[in-house]
Amino acid sequence: MSEYSLSTPVTQIPGIAKQRASGLAKLGIFTLRDALNHYPHRYEDRTKFVDVFDAEDGDSVCLTGIVLENPRYSFVRKGMDLVKFNVADDTGKFTVTYFNQEYMRNKFAIGQECAFYGKVKRENGFVSLANPEYERVGAIIPVYRATSAVSQKILLGLVEKALDCVKRGELTDHLPLEILEKYDLLPLDLAIKNIHFPENNELLQKARRRLVFDEFFFILLALSVLRSRNDSSSAFRLPGEADYGEFYRLLPFTPTSAQIRAVADADADITSGKKMNRLVQGDVGSGKTMVAAALIWRVCLAGYQAAYMAPTEILAEQHYATLSKWLSPFGIRTVLLRGGMNAKEKADAKRLLRSGEARLAVGTHALISKGTEFFKLALTVTDEQHRFGVAQRGALNAKGAERPHTLVMSATPIPRTLAVVIYGDLDVSIIDELPPGRQEIITSLTNENYRGKVNKNIEKLVGVGRQVYVICPAIEDSSTMEMKSVLNYADKLQGLLKGKCKVSPLHGRMKSAEKERIMADFASGEIDVLVSTTVVEVGMDVPNAALIVIENAERFGLSQLHQLRGRVGRGAHQSYCVMFCGGGNEETIKRLKAFCATTDGFKIAEADLRFRGPGEFFGNRQHGLPELKIADLRGDEETLREAQAAAGSVTPQTLERYPRLAERVQALLDKIED
Ligand code: ADP
Ligand code: MG
C-alpha cells in the first residue's frame, strides 16, 4: 500500500527539495494530481526494433543483442572518460559508448541480453550508439516540458507515483456515461494513463482525443452556464416598435442592408424581455459605430441611459465626437468619461449621469470604475471586444440594478472555431458588407532600396491634400533591438520634408491631453503625417488619410496589420498600404505576401490562426478563459464540434445528477469570474 494519494503535495515526495518544489510550482504542479495534468509535449517512439544490418546512419531506433564483453573503462583526459563495449545480434555487431558515466560499467556484463535506444552512427561499416537509453525501451516514451530545476526524470517519477494512485481507482470519471458512449470516448483513467505511457499509437490518439474533448467541453459548458444565467436575468424590456428611419434620415449616409440587419437583430433582443448579449462582428470600416448609435438612440428615447466603452482614450474621444453629433439633434445629451479628467470635470459628468440629464456616457475603463452611477442604465456597448476579457464584460454589466442589455463589437474577424470558444456566451450578428464606393486598398511589400521612392510618395500625396500614417513598432531607438522608432522616424521625416508638410509623433507614453491634441490636429488636417505606434490601431477614423506606411511589418500579426491597414481607404480616395520588412524568415515573407493579396478579414484571420496560433486573437489582455493545454484550435475542429454538441445537451438536471461534473464547471466559472 502506498502512502500517497492524488492530493499529496509534491513537497512530501522524497527527493523534492525546495528549489525543485518552486520549479514544479512554475509548471503548475503542486500535488500529484497536477502531475497527471502536466501532459507530455511530445513522445519518443521506441517501439521500432531493427536488425543491426538494417540500421541506417542517423536513424533513432532500438537495437537488441547479446553483450559480447565486460565493459571497458578508459580515462581519456580530465573531464573525459569512456565506458565502451560491443553487442551483437544475428545480423551484425555494434558498439555502445557512454561518455562521462563511469557507473555504466557496472550495469552491463558479458552474455547479457540488452536493448538500446538511440541515434545510429554508421561509419565504414561500423555501427555505434552513443549514450543510448537502455531502460524504457520498446515503449512510446513521454517527453515533458521540463525546466532547469525540474528534469524529465523528476517529472517521470511524479507521474509514475500519480498513476499508481489512478491504478488504485482514485480517479473517477467526471463525464456522464451517456456522453462517453455517444462520442465513443475513452474513460478518464485510461486516457490519463495512455497520454503519459501510451500502450500503442492507437491508444495514444484516443487518449488525446478524450482529453481534448474534455478541455473544450468544460469551457463551452461554463460559457453556456454564463449564457443561461444571462438569459434568465431580468432586463429592460423596451416598449413597442421604433421607426429607425427617423434616426437614419439624419445620418450623413444611407445605412447598408447589413447594418440594418444587425440593428434589427439587436432590436429584437431588447424588446424580447430577455437580456441581450450580442456580438456585432464586422470588418474594419464596415460601420459598426452606426449600429451601436441606432440602438443607443432607441434606448435613450425610451427614457433610459446607455454606456459606450472604448479600449483607448483616443477612441473614446473620437466616438464621443461622432455619437454626440448624431444624437444631439434628438435631444440626447452625451458625456465623456475618462481617466485623465480633473476632479471637477469628473464630478460634473458623474452628476449628469446620476441625475439622468446625460443619457449617454462614452469612455474607457474609467467608465466601469467605482463611483460611476447611472440613473437608469439599460444598454452597454463595448467596442473592440476581443481586448476585454469575459470578466470585464461582466463588470460593466453589473452596473445597473437591473441588468442592462449588452452589445459588443469586434473589428477583428475571428475564425469560427475560435469564436465558439471566445464568444460562446454571446449571440452574433455579422456585418459582411462594406459601405458602397470604397476602393480596394493597394497593398505592397517593400524594402530599404525603395525608401526614397516611398518618401517621395508621401510628399506627393500630402501635396495634393491627403494625409499619411506611419507605424513604427517602437517609441524610441534602442541599442538592443533593430526596429524603427516613432521619435527618430518623425524627426528624420520632418527634416526631409521641411516646409512641405507637418509631421507629428504619437505614442502611448504621451500624456493623454497631448495625445488628444495631436489626434484632433490630425483629424482636422493640421498635421499631415502622423508617425505613431499601434495606438492608432483600432477604430481611428480619418477619411482623408490615403497612405499607411508600416515599418517592421514582420513584427505584427496579420490581424493586427489588417487593423492598421483599415485606417486608410475610409474616404473616396484611392488608398495605399506600404509595408517595410526589416527581417524575418521565409515563412514571414510568405505570410506578408499573402496579406498583400487579400483584404478579406476572415481569410486573414484564418491565416493568422494557422501561422501564429490562437494567442493572437486574445489580445494583450487577460481574456479570462483558461489556456488550452492540449487542444489545438487549428487541428481539433471536429472534436470541438462534438464537444459543443455535448455541452449543448447538458441540462440543469444533468448537473444535478452528476455532482462531479457540476463541481468542475463551477471551478472553471470561479476562475473565469475571478
Ligand atoms: P468600424 O466598423 O470600423 O467601427 P466605423 O463605424 O468607424 O467602422 O465606420 C467607418 C466609416 O464609414 C465612418 O466614417 C462612417 O461614418 C462611415 N460609414 C458607416 N456606415 C456607412 C454607410 N452605410 N455608408 C457610407 N459610409 C458609412
Ligand atoms: Mg469602430
Side-chain angles (χ1 to χ4, degrees):
M1 209 50 214
S2 150
E3 66 267 48
Y4 304 125
S5 78
L6 284 179
S7 43
T8 302
V10 288
T11 46
Q12 284 177 25
I13 311 281
I16 305 294
K18 218 181 194 158
Q19 86 257 35
R20 272 192 191 139
S22 72
L24 285 165
K26 279 204 192 98
L27 295 172
I29 302 174
F30 300 93
T31 63
L32 281 185
R33 185 186 302 279
D34 298 330
L36 284 185
N37 296 326
H38 187 70
Y39 305 136
H41 77 129
R42 65 181 182 85
Y43 298 87
E44 259 173 25
D45 189 346
R46 300 184 188 169
T47 58
K48 266 198 329 208
F49 285 90
V50 304
D51 290 338
V52 176
F53 182 78
D54 296 326
E56 300 283 354
D57 188 55
D59 285 354
S60 287
V61 292
C62 296
L63 298 179
T64 53
I66 308 284
V67 177
L68 296 179
E69 59 196 328
N70 285 326
R72 287 166 278 141
Y73 172 78
S74 49
F75 177 83
V76 183
R77 56 181 150 79
K78 194 163 185 269
M80 167 76 138
D81 58 35
L82 307 172
V83 171
K84 208 171 189 169
F85 53 94
N86 285 312
V87 185
D89 70 5
D90 296 342
T91 67
K93 205 165 79 167
F94 60 97
T95 308
V96 171
T97 314
Y98 288 101
F99 295 91
N100 295 333
Q101 298 175 59
E102 196 202 332
Y103 58 92
M104 283 296 178
R105 65 203 287 191
N106 303 318
K107 299 262 179 200
F108 305 95
I110 185 165
Q112 213 178 334
E113 181 163 12
C114 290
F116 300 92
Y117 170 85
K119 202 166 176 178
V120 172
K121 189 163 169 208
R122 180 183 279 278
E123 226 173 10
N124 307 326
F126 288 103
V127 176
S128 62
L129 294 175
N131 296 328
E133 277 285 340
Y134 66 97
E135 286 175 321
R136 303 176 197 282
V137 171
I140 302 171
I141 298 298
V143 181
Y144 297 97
R145 200 157 44 84
T147 63
S148 54
V150 183
S151 65
Q152 287 295 327
K153 214 167 173 168
I154 298 268
L155 288 166
L156 269 173
L158 289 175
V159 169
E160 268 167 0
K161 285 195 176 61
L163 283 175
D164 281 342
C165 305
V166 174
K167 240 181 251 159
R168 290 197 306 269
E170 266 197 57
L171 191 69
T172 356
D173 211 318
H174 41 243
L175 285 188
L177 199 59
E178 61 250 35
I179 290 184
L180 290 181
E181 280 174 357
K182 178 155 185 205
Y183 297 97
D184 187 26
L185 297 167
L186 232 48
L188 187 61
D189 52 355
L190 207 59
I192 287 286
K193 189 181 160 296
N194 277 281
I195 204 71
H196 290 287
F197 297 109
E199 264 171 60
N200 52 49
N201 269 312
E202 197 194 333
L203 273 170
L204 172 58
Q205 289 322 313
K206 282 190 169 165
R208 187 176 176 280
R209 178 167 161 268
R210 158 69 208 252
L211 297 172
V212 168
F213 183 97
D214 262 36
E215 201 160 38
F216 284 142
F217 177 80
F218 280 104
I219 290 178
L220 294 170
L221 194 55
L223 288 173
S224 96
V225 169
L226 279 179
R227 184 178 174 140
S228 64
R229 265 191 214 159
N230 284 334
D231 284 349
S232 57
S233 64
S234 64
F236 299 94
R237 177 187 211 131
L238 271 86
E241 277 177 31
D243 176 10
Y244 284 94
E246 280 176 40
F247 175 69
Y248 297 157
R249 265 193 291 283
L250 288 193
L251 289 174
F253 47 74
T254 314
T256 63
S257 49
Q259 285 171 318
I260 293 175
R261 227 179 309 122
V263 173
D265 287 348
D267 191 73
D269 292 343
I270 61 176
T271 49
S272 73
K274 281 187 181 172
K275 182 173 159 342
M276 170 169 76
N277 285 297
R278 183 165 293 279
L279 168 71
V280 175
Q281 235 197 62
D283 216 334
V284 270
S286 61
K288 292 181 292 296
T289 315
M290 184 236 104
V291 172
L295 269 291
I296 292 169
W297 170 82
R298 167 84 157 105
V299 163
C300 293
L301 284 198
Y304 297 107
Q305 285 174 304
Y308 190 111
M309 185 161 84
T312 65
E313 303 252 327
I314 291 175
L315 281 175
E317 181 81 25
Q318 213 174 57
H319 283 126
Y320 170 72
T322 309
L323 291 169
S324 45
K325 190 170 72 207
W326 289 349
L327 295 167
S328 62
F330 299 95
I332 296 167
R333 182 159 179 190
T334 305
V335 291
L336 178 66
L337 270 179
R338 54 188 168 73
M341 291 194 325
N342 67 33
K344 162 130 193 344
E345 291 170 319
K346 242 181 231 167
D348 282 349
K350 286 183 177 174
R351 185 176 44 74
L352 290 171
L353 287 172
R354 204 163 38 238
S355 69
E357 273 168 86
R359 284 292 156 84
L360 171 62
V362 179
T364 62
H365 289 110
L367 192 63
I368 58 173
S369 73
K370 284 198 201 80
T372 311
E373 286 165 41
F374 288 88
F375 165 68
K376 239 184 193 177
L377 181 63
L379 171 68
T380 65
V381 179
T382 314
D383 202 1
E384 306 304 338
Q385 178 59 31
H386 70 291
R387 307 195 146 224
F388 301 112
V390 179
Q392 279 167 310
R393 295 206 277 267
L396 188 63
N397 282 341
K399 278 279 149 190
E402 258 182 293
R403 310 239 285 155
H405 298 292
T406 51
L407 188 67
V408 299
M409 306 203 290
S410 173
T412 308
I414 285 187
R416 206 195 49 78
T417 48
L418 212 55
V420 167
V421 177
I422 300 182
Y423 296 132
D425 57 335
L426 304 169
D427 294 311
V428 180
S429 297
I430 292 180
I431 306 186
D432 51 4
E433 177 187 359
L434 288 182
R438 290 278 160 80
Q439 303 201 32
E440 191 115 317
I441 300 162
I442 299 172
T443 308
S444 59
L445 184 62
T446 189
N447 58 44
E448 288 303 324
N449 296 340
Y450 294 88
R451 175 70 62 192
K453 204 168 158 207
V454 171
N455 286 340
K456 269 269 165 295
N457 279 334
I458 294 179
E459 191 182 334
K460 211 161 88 193
L461 276 171
V462 172
V464 296
R466 299 288 80 75
Q467 286 163 284
V468 177
Y469 291 102
V470 177
I471 307 298
C472 301
I475 297 176
E476 279 177 294
D477 278 1
S478 116
S479 51
T480 51
M481 299 251 249
E482 205 39 61
M483 284 190 281
K484 288 280 183 297
S485 78
V486 166
L487 295 176
N488 187 14
Y489 198 116
D491 256 11
K492 268 200 192 140
L493 198 64
Q494 184 64 84
L496 204 65
L497 303 176
K498 210 178 213 143
K500 292 181 188 143
C501 66
K502 181 155 189 242
V503 179
S504 172
L506 176 74
H507 58 78
R509 277 216 312 259
M510 289 173 163
K511 288 227 171 62
S512 61
E514 194 182 0
K515 275 192 288 197
E516 272 156 35
R517 187 181 48 74
I518 293 171
M519 273 312 309
D521 287 353
F522 188 64
S524 71
E526 199 133 313
I527 293 170
D528 302 301
V529 181
L530 190 65
V531 181
S532 172
T533 54
T534 53
V535 290
V536 299
E537 179 195 341
V538 271
M540 278 248 315
D541 185 27
V542 179
N544 190 45
L547 166 65
I548 184 163
V549 177
I550 304 173
E551 298 292 336
N552 297 101
E554 74 280 1
R555 298 192 158 261
F556 300 106
L558 296 188
S559 292
Q560 204 180 8
L561 288 172
H562 184 60
Q563 289 284 333
L564 289 167
R565 179 166 61 181
R567 295 313 104 215
V568 298
R570 299 171 82 88
H573 317 290
Q574 175 60 54
S575 296
Y576 307 87
C577 171
V578 175
M579 298 185 291
F580 278 93
C581 182
N585 52 22
E586 228 170 277
E587 180 87 327
T588 310
I589 306 291
K590 213 167 99 193
R591 197 160 60 89
L592 294 175
K593 283 202 172 136
F595 178 76
C596 292
T598 180
T599 49
D600 180 328
F602 280 91
K603 275 198 196 131
I604 289 167
E606 294 283 353
D608 228 8
L609 180 61
R610 268 198 317 279
F611 284 123
R612 297 178 48 129
E616 192 67 18
F617 295 94
F618 291 123
N620 299 329
R621 285 166 216 271
Q622 242 307 328
H623 47 79
L625 294 175
E627 198 188 333
L628 295 176
K629 276 167 55 174
I630 186 166
D632 183 350
L633 288 159
R634 287 170 279 193
D636 291 322
E637 268 184 65
E638 198 183 321
T639 313
L640 174 64
R641 264 193 295 278
E642 289 170 337
Q644 198 180 3
S649 73
V650 171
T651 60
Q653 289 81 351
T654 324
L655 290 175
E656 255 168 55
R657 267 189 295 134
Y658 293 92
R660 234 185 305 274
L661 185 64
E663 223 171 83
R664 292 233 3 193
V665 174
Q666 190 53 51
L668 188 54
L669 281 171
D670 290 347
K671 214 161 143 192
I672 290 174
E673 290 173 324
D674 190 1

